[in-house]
Amino acid sequence: MAVRNQPAMYAPSDFQTKMTDCCSDMSVCLCGWFLLPCLGCSIASDMNECCLCGSTFAICSVYRTKYNINGSMCGDYVAMVCCGPCAVCQLKRDINRRKEQGIF
């Protein structure tokens, strides 16, 4: 079997969408604003975590660390406190895009 890709760390990057890009995926946006616990459970399920962790700053920090996304735990906390639905939607959009790209 031929080796097609060499293992490598992800280069530092940003989320693939901005936190304010909610309208770029209306299904995620609507779920985030009206069914936030369900969207959090979906994120936790995607990451093989407990359903209660999906809409917390901790899951965002774990995700950022895994994919080497720029930011900090403090920034994740502030984003979740100031605009939790937008931050959770951003995380779900990024997961969906990485799935489409085959890198999740």
Side-chain angles (χ1 to χ4, degrees):
M1 177 182 267
V3 174
R4 295 183 184 183
N5 295 322
Q6 293 295 324
M9 290 289 295
Y10 294 102
S13 64
D14 292 319
F15 281 101
Q16 296 182 42
T17 61
K18 294 181 181 180
M19 199 163 66
T20 56
D21 286 343
C22 278
C23 293
S24 66
D25 187 334
M26 287 306 293
S27 63
V28 170
C29 179
L30 292 172
C31 191
W33 282 100
F34 298 108
L35 301 168
L36 186 60
C38 294
L39 187 59
C41 279
S42 175
I43 290 169
S45 175
D46 289 338
M47 296 184 64
N48 296 321
E49 295 289 339
C50 170
C51 188
L52 299 175
C53 298
S55 55
T56 65
F57 80 95
I59 199 89
C60 187
S61 293
V62 168
Y63 183 80
R64 272 189 325 88
T65 301
K66 182 175 181 178
Y67 291 102
N68 203 15
I69 296 171
N70 295 318
S72 67
M73 287 184 72
C74 182
D76 296 336
Y77 177 78
V78 169
M80 287 294 184
V81 168
C82 292
C83 193
C86 291
V88 172
C89 288
Q90 179 188 34
L91 180 56
K92 182 62 177 172
R93 284 192 310 272
D94 204 79
I95 289 170
N96 290 347
R97 290 195 179 187
R98 289 184 190 275
K99 283 181 178 179
E100 289 170 0
Q101 297 164 352
I103 57 173
F104 183 75

